[in-house]
């Protein structure tokens, strides 16, 4: 009992911290799990931006400009990444459209169930630019292993440019963003995924 008590106190504190943003979020994102991909919605402006994010097929590497297998690993790379600004508190609302999934991003310390009919809330604040990968973490059917999560953390300027372009065409916005990152000196490529 005594040992359990000592474990319980910090555990509950950590649980609360994981679910409560430390300040008013700068951006709210909604992630919806589907069999078998994620769809995202940005709460921005009058019309929310929304798009689907599917695992990249190997044959699409060239057309997506994602030939670099270190940066875009097989089974983790997606067609459309979530793009967020660095150093901002991002609230993530997580739900599912069909069965239970789970939104997990180990490098951000985020893992939360995506339950149909229920809106779970978590948050993160990315401190390094780069491309981060996570996976669905609740067995959700035959393609459970093939619905990765990819979040790209970029500077505020790049985020704003991307957001404006994404309103018309997400695919083109992503290509322009990738080009602007490749053009600049790459300080961080695939960041901190070793934390997994
Ligand atoms: Cu799943």
């Amino acid at each position: 009992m005594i040992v359990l008590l000592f474990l319980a106190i910090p555990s509950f504190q950590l649980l609360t911290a994981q679910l409560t943003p430390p300040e008013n979020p700068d951006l709210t994102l909604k992630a919806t799990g589907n069999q078998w991909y994620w769809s995202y919605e940005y709460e921005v402006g009058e019309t929310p931006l929304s798009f689907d994010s599917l695992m990249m097929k190997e044959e699409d590497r060239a057309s997506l400009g994602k030939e670099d297998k270190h940066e875009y690993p097989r089974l983790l790379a997606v067609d459309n990444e979530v793009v967020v600004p660095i150093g901002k508190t991002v609230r993530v609302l997580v739900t599912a459209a069909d069965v239970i999934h789970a939104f997990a991003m180990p490098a951000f310390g985020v893992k939360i169930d995506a339950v149909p009919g229920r809106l779970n809330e978590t948050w993160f604040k990315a401190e390094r630019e780069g491309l981060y990968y996570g996976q669905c973490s609740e067995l959700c059917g035959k393609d459970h292993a093939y619905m990765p999560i990819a979040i790209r953390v970029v500077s505020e300027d790049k985020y704003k440019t991307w957001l404006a372009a994404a309103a018309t065409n997400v695919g083109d916005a992503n290509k322009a963003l990738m080009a602007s990152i490749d053009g600049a000196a790459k300080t961080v490529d695939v960041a901190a995924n070793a934390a997994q």
Side-chain angles (χ1 to χ4, degrees), residues 30-41 51-52 93-103 112-120 136 138 140 147:
K30 186 178 168 197
T32 307
N34 302 274
Q35 283 177 316
W36 289 274
Y37 60 94
W38 290 93
S39 41
Y40 299 99
E41 198 174 306
F51 57 87
D52 294 337
L93 302 174
V94 182
T95 187
D98 36 42
V99 301
I100 304 177
H101 302 266
F103 186 86
I112 193 157
D113 276 352
V115 183
R118 188 190 156 121
L119 211 50
N120 280 335
C136 178
E138 179 66 56
C140 59
M147 47 179 295

Side-chain angles (χ1 to χ4, degrees), residues 17 37 46 58 76 83 89 99 140 156 170 177 183 188:
Y37 60 94
E46 303 259 299
E58 280 303 301
L76 283 178
V83 178
T89 300
V99 301
C140 59
E156 173 102 51
V170 176
L177 178 63
V188 186

